[in-house]
Amino acid sequence: MLNKFMKRGHRKSKSESIDNAGVGFGPGNVTVNHASRATVNSAESQAVTLSLPLNPGGVIEILPFLRDVAVSERPALFLRKLKVCWVQCDFSDTLKGVREKEIKRQTLLELVDFIQSGSCKLNEAMQEELIRMVSVNVFRCLPPTAYENTGSEAAADPDDEELYLEPSWPHLQIVYEILLRYLVSSETDTKVAKRYIDHVFVLKLLDLFDSEDPREREYLKTILHRVYGKFMVHRPFIRKAINNIFYRFIFETERHCGIAELLEILGSIINGFALPMKEEHKLFLSRALIPLHKPKSIAVYHQPLSYCITQFVEKDYKLADTVIRGLLKYWPVTNCQKEVLFLGELEEVLEATQAAEFQRCMIPLFRQIGRCLNSPHFQVAERALYFWNNEHIVSLIAQNRNAILPLIFEALEKNIQGHWNQAVNGLTGNVQRMFQEMDAELFEECEREYFEKETKARHLEEQRELTWKTLEAVAAQAQR
């Protein structure tokens, strides 16, 4: 076990090759909790060690190829080869156990070909041992993540130059490929497979999403998606388990490496929701997806999150009000980059919003947009002004201009008079001309009210200054 805690010493930069195994595998187009990181039970590990197919000299026995033996002998040989793959190799030292590593790697490759070819149907015993071999190899204690070592607040950053790569990936990748080929095989009987790919197995897979290695998370995403599609009995459980990961991330740790991958899986799941939508799914939107806008590390997973949110609104337009008010609730106050992300997502949601739902939330919405228009950060102001480039949003604004223009007229005038960025000034002028063309009379009325308000404010300021000067004069005379 000491070797597993030494994995942190094997850090590699992004510039190194992603596929250290030299195997042309990958997830391709195949579309829990951190505190409980999975590990193999010590008793099970001991049983694995005692039952390895070793020859009297203590070296791994070299077995014949599956294709070279009779069909009747292949099941027994397949089981023996699975036991060879139980051997845990030490990747902390590249010069240690080179022969054993290569034997195991070649054996794993042969198992991939055997399962993919379908030359021999896997019986129940073979499937049980296959899943056991996969479990022994992939379910392990994950090494401490970067934020645990450094105390940093952010989760895994995709731009981190010192991205951690799993040292045992040359073997681990092929084990994942074996599991994937087993799941996608038409020969796999779901009724038999679900005895071994059970809830415990699924939970341990979900635990591994906290791995720092992006290659592992990509395989896990593909595999979990296949499990969800193949085993209907597991679907509610998988959704509930993912919910629990999100809750822990949002309300406790705000640290998890695999939130983006889990959201990508959910995006595909949400796309397949039947209508009318179940109450369970609506609760998931309001209790898990919308609060995911709260953590500081939202930039890492914002794109798949935005896709999930938009899918809900496109499927049920009545959810637009819930989503928009949820975004306003978690709107960032001091993080301008996060604010730009929110504005982009808000535009996508508004594109799928109908007039009735828009009217329910337009007052608080455009109060917030007005504040964004006056943001000293030019990207925030610019992104808010881009809303008027969207035809659907402009049509919604035009239908409700009597309520919207008074809310943002002052912000537009302040930009024209004093915003430091020329691009923002130009875009603001375009928006003002658009409102004039929509309704010149309303625009003139708002302009008149704005100047009256400004005149009154200047008069109050002059009165205040005069009062202070009078008090200063009285105080000076009293001192004399």
Side-chain angles (χ1 to χ4, degrees), residues 266 270-271 273 275 277-278 280-286 289 305-320 323 352:
L266 284 169
I270 294 165
N271 193 32
F273 281 167
L275 296 176
M277 203 173 293
K278 295 179 181 177
E280 167 202 347
H281 303 327
K282 296 178 183 178
L283 288 174
F284 168 66
L285 169 68
S286 60
L289 288 184
L305 173 61
S306 178
Y307 177 76
C308 290
I309 295 284
T310 309
Q311 285 286 306
F312 268 102
V313 180
E314 289 177 352
K315 281 190 167 290
D316 186 352
Y317 67 90
K318 293 182 179 179
L319 294 173
V323 168

Side-chain angles (χ1 to χ4, degrees), residues 206 209 224 242 245-246 256 258-266:
L206 286 166
F209 273 91
L224 186 64
I242 293 175
I245 292 175
F246 287 165
H256 196 284
I259 298 298
E261 286 78 10
L262 291 171
L263 284 168
E264 287 176 28
I265 296 170
L266 284 169

